[in-house]
Amino acid sequence: MIAVNDTDTKHMFDNRYGTGQSTLDAIFRATNQLLAGKVLVVAGFGYCGKGVAERAKGLGADVVVTEIDPTKALDALMQGYRVMPMYDAAKIGDVFITVTGNRDVLRSEHFSLMKDGAILANSGHFDIEIDVAWLEKYATKKNSRIRHQTDEYVLSDGRRILLVAEGRLVNLGAAEGHPAAVMDMSFSDQALTAEYLVKEAKNLTPGVHNVPTEIDKEVARLKLQSMGSEIDTLTPAQVEYLNSWEHGS
Amino acid sequence: MIAVNDTDTKHMFDNRYGTGQSTLDAIFRATNQLLAGKVLVVAGFGYCGKGVAERAKGLGADVVVTEIDPTKALDALMQGYRVMPMYDAAKIGDVFITVTGNRDVLRSEHFSLMKDGAILANSGHFDIEIDVAWLEKYATKKNSRIRHQTDEYVLSDGRRILLVAEGRLVNLGAAEGHPAAVMDMSFSDQALTAEYLVKEAKNLTPGVHNVPTEIDKEVARLKLQSMGSEIDTLTPAQVEYLNSWEHGS
Amino acid sequence: MIAVNDTDTKHMFDNRYGTGQSTLDAIFRATNQLLAGKVLVVAGFGYCGKGVAERAKGLGADVVVTEIDPTKALDALMQGYRVMPMYDAAKIGDVFITVTGNRDVLRSEHFSLMKDGAILANSGHFDIEIDVAWLEKYATKKNSRIRHQTDEYVLSDGRRILLVAEGRLVNLGAAEGHPAAVMDMSFSDQALTAEYLVKEAKNLTPGVHNVPTEIDKEVARLKLQSMGSEIDTLTPAQVEYLNSWEHGS
Amino acid sequence: MIAVNDTDTKHMFDNRYGTGQSTLDAIFRATNQLLAGKVLVVAGFGYCGKGVAERAKGLGADVVVTEIDPTKALDALMQGYRVMPMYDAAKIGDVFITVTGNRDVLRSEHFSLMKDGAILANSGHFDIEIDVAWLEKYATKKNSRIRHQTDEYVLSDGRRILLVAEGRLVNLGAAEGHPAAVMDMSFSDQALTAEYLVKEAKNLTPGVHNVPTEIDKEVARLKLQSMGSEIDTLTPAQVEYLNSWEHGS
């Protein structure tokens, strides 16, 4: 078995540039909200979170990042994002996007602090990043589909929470998923790896293997070419220098 | 008559932040193209052009600006955009957006240079910024609505040109126009100006008047308040200083 | 007399791109502070303020803008900056830069709220934007020139305020002023306007005149050319269209 | 032996945010060049190259990246930078910064294509990234120190090449190295790792070890705290969920 999802040409691009754009595309289609000047809270600063944060910033939002990992949090801070616990972010956010891979990232203690009209969406993995079950149970009223893929939950104090795509993956639920221009890399990884497996299976031990680096680099090379970009190649003197440096005396 | 369209709270916001976001929103809905890494050409660097350019840059595009005015062109250049004539931009663009207020901005001499699959949209005024008539007349084939609001014109050499929303205003044709969060300002300008007209008509001479600055500033003040932001007020010493500076001895 | 300072090729470039870069250059030389992750407060959002804000954001700072004008404040907000009164900004800022053209923008009521080690600089007009006189009078200790052009004021509660270039124009006081690449435009405006005055003086009425648009555009055109950029020219059909539109029936 | 340089809190911050800012700071001090509107070429897109590229973009430059690795090149492209071989970049660059870790990145074949007045600096490792030896040997004239740390080489055809800090590490040679605010993390890594070595040496096998993750995370946590930022902690339900996901049945 080969873990295709772990290749650079998948997670560095699909997760970041694909998720980044398609998540905000989904928010547009679902809510037609102007992002300029809005406080957009991104929960999680992995590749998906980076992608969402940089696209939201590029669209004029004031981006707040929440994290549980101090290194990722510090990275976000150094990139100019505000970093704070969700307890504080909940009070100021206009739009919330969860991309953590965990459950209950937005939950009752946060719902109770949010502004009227707050927009919630999940672009992480499953529909448990936002505690939709709580909203379903405790909202005094639910106005389904007030817009494309958007449900409005009215809380007991009258505040309204807008949930996009039922808390499911928002780019699939309210937009069209990743553009073809990033999926082509993931699919190329899969196709070339399948070919590799067929040819090399007899030489591999049972277990989970990585995609060979050559395949990963070949996909990047082909993609670059398709976009009309070329790169440098090492001169013999440079190859010799790198070898002497890396392995040298 | 009062020229409501010329107020700051209209053209500084509606034209820039409204058009900026909604134009790209329309491109997403029509083509689902990934903008990251694409060359996006903006024709015109007025408020609309600035808005489109900054949002496209924020979405990861390599933005090229074309202009006829040297001051605007220089401003674009100093903001990090590449500036060149459309003749050169036509050869490298993946997406073209016209926002000039003029006709024939994209025309046969440019179509003949474009890459296969180039995407064309107009977010300027009328459907004559792109010479659609030429495409209709000289394309060897037209595949209508290959996607939402997107027509494909096949040229005699086989290259395909994708036209969004028939060259009409793309944010209205393929998305939902400006978000409510910028239209509220334009409408407030209109409402308050209408009230002003009713009250002050008898004191006004016939002709085209500007919206009173007080109305413009009041709309900005109310909008800021609605977004939860406050600003400073001058101290008496500061007022005195400004007066002495402006009118002083 | 001709008001050279009001030409587009002066204030759109010198004030924005010149002041933007040289102000932060001065902060670097004076303090060697990392801006990434710092809260940088810009007082004033005219051309100078825009320049400082966009460069600070580009260097990774979390930029806060203060204003007295609601339209400018709203513009800053829509560009993704936080907008608040100085009373609130004073509590969270790491670096403060005044570019307002007014006096007492930073004064005792703000000093009393600032964090230990806050850095203050003025890139506006005179050395009264920051109330240096108060610091001189009420600081319990002054450590002069703890670094290049930086004085440290110790307040009665032990907090330290760092003042760069004595509150004078910081890009002149602690760096080298504007780069030649923006001053060339201002000087060209002056030279060509002087020539114009000599030639046309006999036809001008006494008073303050604007720089002729032709000179302003010519300077922009020459600057573009010197940077290797070209722009479009209107086709006859476009000229006719614009004329019909602007003057037409 | 423990490889302190490989910790996240070192290379993710020192290399990126430290090198990014201090490299451009050095260019300012050495040349006082306006970066807005200039073509700035970054050779290498590792952490240092990313840092230089994002700061240069933030200062208004049109940033071009050269690479030998297709994945890094594609990443740069998707972030909106232009990617091309140095042979092409050499013709259009105004400023060149090498951050590759290799030799001869800028060499005679590139010097011969550069524009008059091109500025060259190295922020990589040694002074061999730029082939200074060639310039020393073949330039028809050398004007030393025409500005702070800047030497001018006049080539046989009259073009001038400006070399900053003799091709040595430019942030050390022409500015002040990294700000204290990033060095504090590297030094904390070293101090805590030294303490760890003293305590745990007897339990370690001879060889090169990694810094324990706990130390790396502790440094990030302390740094965040010093900057006034807090982060989230996992709830018991979240811990359980992550465990079930990672190790689960």
Side-chain angles (χ1 to χ4, degrees), chain A residues 99-127:
Chain A
V99 272
T100 70
N102 207 333
R103 63 176 300 157
D104 306 334
V105 179
L106 292 175
R107 51 188 187 267
S108 64
E109 68 189 80
H110 306 126
F111 301 146
S112 68
L113 299 167
M114 288 178 179
K115 294 195 281 191
D116 181 34
I119 296 168
L120 277 50
N122 167 46
S123 206
H125 62 167
F126 302 137
D127 61 348

Side-chain angles (χ1 to χ4, degrees), chain A residues 14-213:
Chain A
D14 178 329
N15 295 15
R16 183 169 179 176
Y17 307 109
T19 301
Q21 176 176 308
S22 61
T23 298
L24 295 171
D25 178 4
I27 301 294
F28 292 161
R29 299 192 201 206
T31 70
N32 200 35
Q33 270 294 311
L34 184 74
L35 286 187
K38 294 292 194 317
V39 176
L40 188 145
V41 180
V42 182
F45 202 65
Y47 274 107
C48 291
K50 280 177 197 174
V52 172
E54 63 200 2
R55 291 304 168 245
K57 189 175 190 172
L59 286 157
D62 170 18
V63 178
V64 171
V65 170
T66 73
E67 250 298 338
I68 55 160
D69 179 281
T71 312
K72 290 180 180 174
L74 191 55
D75 198 31
L77 192 68
M78 291 272 182
Q79 285 174 35
Y81 303 113
R82 284 194 281 165
V83 173
M84 62 184 75
M86 187 58 85
Y87 186 85
D88 294 324
K91 302 167 195 168
I92 60 174
D94 297 298
V95 181
F96 296 80
I97 296 170
T98 55
V99 272
T100 70
N102 207 333
R103 63 176 300 157
D104 306 334
V105 179
L106 292 175
R107 51 188 187 267
S108 64
E109 68 189 80
H110 306 126
F111 301 146
S112 68
L113 299 167
M114 288 178 179
K115 294 195 281 191
D116 181 34
I119 296 168
L120 277 50
N122 167 46
S123 206
H125 62 167
F126 302 137
D127 61 348
I128 58 174
E129 299 219 7
I130 300 169
D131 188 358
V132 180
W134 189 94
L135 289 171
E136 283 288 328
K137 187 166 178 188
Y138 293 104
T140 55
K141 190 176 177 191
K142 177 182 179 181
N143 297 312
S144 294
R145 300 298 191 262
I146 58 165
R147 272 186 54 99
H148 169 70
Q149 291 291 336
T150 305
D151 298 324
E152 180 182 78
Y153 291 92
V154 183
L155 303 187
S156 58
D157 60 4
R159 282 176 304 111
R160 292 160 295 180
I161 302 283
L162 304 182
L163 180 67
V164 184
E166 302 173 4
R168 299 175 198 280
L169 275 177
V170 74
N171 58 352
L172 290 169
E176 303 181 52
H178 293 331
V182 291
M183 294 311 298
D184 56 1
M185 284 190 279
S186 302
F187 293 149
S188 299
D189 284 328
Q190 290 175 25
L192 292 172
T193 301
E195 181 191 36
Y196 169 82
L197 258 184
V198 170
K199 287 183 180 169
E200 299 293 332
K202 59 186 177 294
N203 304 319
L204 295 172
T205 53
V208 178
H209 294 270
N210 292 325
V211 171
T213 301

Side-chain angles (χ1 to χ4, degrees), chain C:
Chain C
M1 191 175 294
I2 300 190
V4 176
N5 201 51
D6 293 344
T7 54
D8 285 346
T9 43
K10 200 282 178 186
H11 71 260
M12 280 177 62
F13 299 94
D14 179 326
N15 295 15
R16 182 169 179 178
Y17 307 110
T19 301
Q21 175 175 309
S22 62
T23 298
L24 296 171
D25 177 3
I27 301 294
F28 291 162
R29 299 191 201 206
T31 70
N32 201 35
Q33 270 294 312
L34 183 76
L35 285 187
K38 293 292 193 316
V39 176
L40 188 144
V41 180
V42 182
F45 202 66
Y47 274 108
C48 290
K50 279 177 197 174
V52 172
E54 64 200 2
R55 290 304 167 247
K57 188 174 191 174
L59 287 159
D62 170 19
V63 178
V64 170
V65 170
T66 73
E67 249 299 337
I68 55 160
D69 180 280
T71 313
K72 290 180 180 175
L74 191 56
D75 199 32
L77 192 67
M78 291 272 181
Q79 286 176 34
Y81 303 113
R82 284 194 281 164
V83 173
M84 61 184 75
M86 188 57 85
Y87 186 84
D88 294 324
K91 302 167 194 168
I92 60 174
D94 296 298
V95 181
F96 296 81
I97 296 170
T98 56
V99 271
T100 69
N102 207 334
R103 62 176 302 155
D104 307 333
V105 180
L106 293 175
R107 51 188 187 265
S108 66
E109 67 190 82
H110 306 126
F111 301 146
S112 68
L113 299 167
M114 288 178 179
K115 294 195 280 190
D116 182 34
I119 296 167
L120 278 50
N122 167 46
S123 206
H125 61 167
F126 303 136
D127 60 349
I128 58 173
E129 299 218 8
I130 302 169
D131 189 358
V132 181
W134 189 94
L135 290 171
E136 285 287 329
K137 188 167 177 187
Y138 293 105
T140 54
K141 191 176 176 190
K142 177 182 179 182
N143 296 312
S144 294
R145 300 297 191 262
I146 59 165
R147 272 185 55 98
H148 169 69
Q149 291 291 336
T150 305
D151 298 323
E152 180 183 80
Y153 291 92
V154 184
L155 303 186
S156 58
D157 59 4
R159 280 177 305 112
R160 292 159 297 181
I161 302 282
L162 303 182
L163 179 68
V164 183
E166 301 173 4
R168 301 174 197 279
L169 276 177
V170 73
N171 58 351
L172 291 169
E176 302 181 52
H178 293 330
V182 291
M183 293 311 297
D184 56 2
M185 284 190 279
S186 303
F187 293 149
S188 300
D189 284 327
Q190 291 175 25
L192 292 172
T193 300
E195 181 191 37
Y196 169 82
L197 258 184
V198 169
K199 289 184 179 168
E200 298 293 332
K202 58 183 178 295
N203 303 320
L204 295 172
T205 53
V208 178
H209 294 269
N210 292 325
V211 171
T213 301
E214 298 73 42
I215 291 181
D216 200 13
K217 294 294 175 193
E218 175 68 2
V219 169
R221 203 187 59 71
L222 290 168
K223 179 70 182 175
L224 264 181
Q225 194 178 44
S226 78
M227 295 178 79
S229 269
E230 289 173 68
I231 58 174
D232 279 316
T233 49
L234 294 172
T235 64
Q238 288 178 324
V239 172
E240 184 189 347
Y241 180 74
L242 286 185
N243 287 338
S244 70
W245 180 253
E246 286 175 13
H247 312 300
S249 55

